[in-house]
Amino acid sequence: MIRMLTAQTTEVDDTDFAVAEILKQLDLENRLLENSVGILTCYADFLEGGVIPALCERLPFDVVGVTTLGTGTEKTAELLALTLCVLTSDDVSFSAVLSESLTEDHENKIQTAYDRAAAALPGDPALVLAYVPMMATVGGEKIASRIDKAGNGTPVFGTVACDHTFDSRQAHTIHNGLAYRDNLAMILLSGPVRARFFLGTLPLNNVQKHQAVITASDGNILHEINGMSATEYLRGTGLAPNDILESSKSMPIVVDYRDGTPPVIRGFYTFTPEGSAICGGEMPVNATFALSTLDSADVLLSTRQLFNEILAPKDNAGMLLISCLVRSFALDTEPLAEMELVSECVNKAFPYQLCYAGGEICPVYVKGGGVSNRFHNFSFIGCMFE
């Protein structure tokens, strides 16, 4: 089985204090088992000081992770914080890896990184934890699909790096104390991994009846809608030119691929000077496109409904929890409301690590009992270790 240990600090400037605080909470000398790995999530300001490299230097295992907007554990949740989750086990093995830069030839580089991590395990991988860079040129959905292919369908759970800026300029992945803009970090697990996956999506009660058509795109880059640039189309819906980026951040996009599969929810990340939109997932030509709205009540209702499902199982050794960054934007003046609701629901019944994401990767259950890896936006996902 897997045991989960968690710790958090809000100290950015005093490196010695921050490291000591984390190590005291973890109590590794008395709690660490044979095999271990660390998952670090933090506000981007932590990249500027010495806390992350100093902490990783003191730990006897590999550490991977991402920047995020807010992060929490069963003990506390904060916006400007760093959390460290340690997965430790006597019978499950962990292999952490960092890919080369994905700016070019990303498919082969993901395969190479996966193969390198898998070769270090004593058995076949049973689960992949993926920490994906936020890139304009290679979308998170494309990276998630390539990880799925590399692992021949091995379950993949993970997040896309994000930050507090509107253009994600400080979003990084993290590997053993160093931060990277365009490298993928992964943890592969082998052995008797017992994991369950949970997915909470938003109720789409306010979808515009008018559906536009995507007329030009390249992967997750949306060039034209109804023959107009993305920004031109959005201005036509009533968004002021200076408000497009800010307003669209909390505006779900309902995309129907028109291939018989259910519509998917996508989000805007940022816009190019040419008027194209960088989106959270693939935006295929000829798919229909409709805008929706999102408010705090939708976010909190979907979170509570998800935890009604999560809290049913009794054998919970710990959970990795990831919520879409845009959900926090919808909370407006109460950015901690969702994290506080999670804390209320769990009530310290089990350890967890919670962070916000620029995109969520979580398997969905299919007929016959198997799982299919999927990329999500606007969702709340969970990986429960039993």
Side-chain angles (χ1 to χ4, degrees):
M1 66 171 288
I2 293 174
R3 175 187 294 174
M4 180 182 290
L5 316 176
T6 63
Q8 184 180 89
T9 184
T10 57
E11 180 55 57
V12 177
D13 300 315
D14 190 332
T15 295
D16 291 339
F17 179 87
V19 172
E21 185 176 27
I22 292 289
L23 294 177
K24 181 179 180 180
Q25 293 175 53
L26 293 176
D27 189 19
L28 297 178
E29 291 184 2
N30 297 309
R31 304 171 72 192
L32 209 60
L33 302 178
E34 184 70 20
N35 308 310
S36 301
V37 72
I39 302 169
L40 188 152
T41 58
C42 68
Y43 197 79
D45 285 3
F46 277 89
L47 301 180
E48 300 174 5
V51 173
I52 295 175
L55 175 60
C56 291
E57 192 173 308
R58 295 284 302 275
L59 298 171
F61 43 76
D62 289 324
V63 176
V64 305
V66 287
T67 55
T68 185
L69 175 64
T71 182
T73 71
E74 71 281 5
K75 306 176 187 74
T76 185
E78 301 283 350
L79 290 180
L80 284 74
L82 177 153
T83 69
L84 180 67
C85 164
V86 179
L87 303 180
T88 187
S89 177
D90 286 329
D91 52 10
V92 173
S93 297
F94 309 95
S95 178
V97 68
L98 180 75
S99 77
E100 295 183 50
S101 169
L102 302 184
T103 53
E104 295 181 358
D105 194 23
H106 72 276
E107 292 190 354
N108 286 331
K109 290 177 178 177
I110 292 172
Q111 184 70 59
T112 298
Y114 185 96
D115 291 344
R116 190 166 76 248
L121 291 171
D124 293 336
L127 175 64
V128 181
L129 302 177
Y131 298 88
V132 175
M134 171 69 77
M135 302 175 65
T137 54
V138 187
E141 185 172 21
K142 188 173 290 186
I143 294 174
S145 176
R146 193 63 188 84
I147 299 170
D148 174 67
K149 184 177 180 180
N152 293 314
T154 298
V156 182
F157 182 90
T159 176
V160 177
C162 67
D163 64 18
H164 58 283
T165 68
F166 276 106
D167 58 2
S168 303
R169 62 184 178 274
Q170 294 187 40
H172 288 75
T173 55
I174 297 166
H175 180 264
N176 287 344
L178 299 178
Y180 300 86
R181 280 288 292 163
D182 44 34
N183 300 58
L184 167 68
M186 293 185 290
I187 301 170
L188 274 60
L189 291 73
S190 71
V193 178
R194 294 184 291 276
R196 296 183 61 192
F197 306 103
F198 296 86
L199 171 67
T201 58
L202 293 171
L204 294 177
N205 301 319
N206 301 303
V207 182
Q208 292 183 357
K209 293 182 179 180
H210 175 71
Q211 292 188 340
V213 177
I214 297 172
T215 48
S217 67
D218 181 12
N220 67 311
I221 305 176
L222 176 58
H223 295 304
E224 293 183 0
I225 308 163
N226 285 356
M228 297 178 282
S229 72
T231 53
E232 184 182 1
Y233 174 83
L234 291 173
R235 290 189 189 104
T237 66
L239 294 180
N242 294 334
D243 294 337
I244 286 178
L245 181 55
E246 183 173 356
S247 300
S248 64
K249 281 285 188 174
S250 56
M251 184 179 293
I253 314 164
V254 182
V255 181
D256 188 343
Y257 290 0
R258 298 201 289 188
D259 60 359
T261 61
V264 296
I265 306 173
R266 295 290 178 244
F268 294 111
Y269 285 166
T270 189
F271 295 87
T272 69
E274 297 76 25
S276 298
I278 309 300
C279 300
E282 300 296 292
M283 305 294 285
V285 171
N286 294 324
T288 60
F289 172 106
L291 299 175
S292 183
T293 58
L294 172 66
D295 61 28
S296 61
D298 293 330
V299 171
L300 298 180
L301 175 61
S302 65
T303 302
R304 188 173 291 279
Q305 289 174 337
L306 177 64
F307 272 85
N308 288 338
E309 180 183 359
I310 285 176
L311 295 176
K314 297 180 180 180
D315 298 326
N316 189 343
M319 289 195 73
L320 298 174
L321 299 170
I322 298 168
S323 179
C324 182
L325 176 68
V326 182
R327 295 168 67 98
S328 72
F329 295 157
L331 297 174
D332 197 16
T333 59
E334 298 181 292
L336 291 174
E338 184 174 43
M339 291 195 288
E340 290 171 349
L341 176 58
V342 172
S343 178
E344 174 192 324
C345 290
V346 174
N347 194 26
K348 298 183 180 180
F350 54 81
Y352 66 81
Q353 181 187 49
L354 168 63
C355 71
Y356 279 102
E360 309 83 61
I361 307 169
C362 183
V364 296
Y365 291 96
V366 297
K367 291 182 179 179
V371 297
S372 177
N373 291 315
R374 298 284 174 83
F375 185 85
H376 311 273
N377 286 132
F378 291 87
S379 298
F380 193 118
I381 61 173
C383 174
M384 175 191 291
F385 297 107
E386 300 176 324

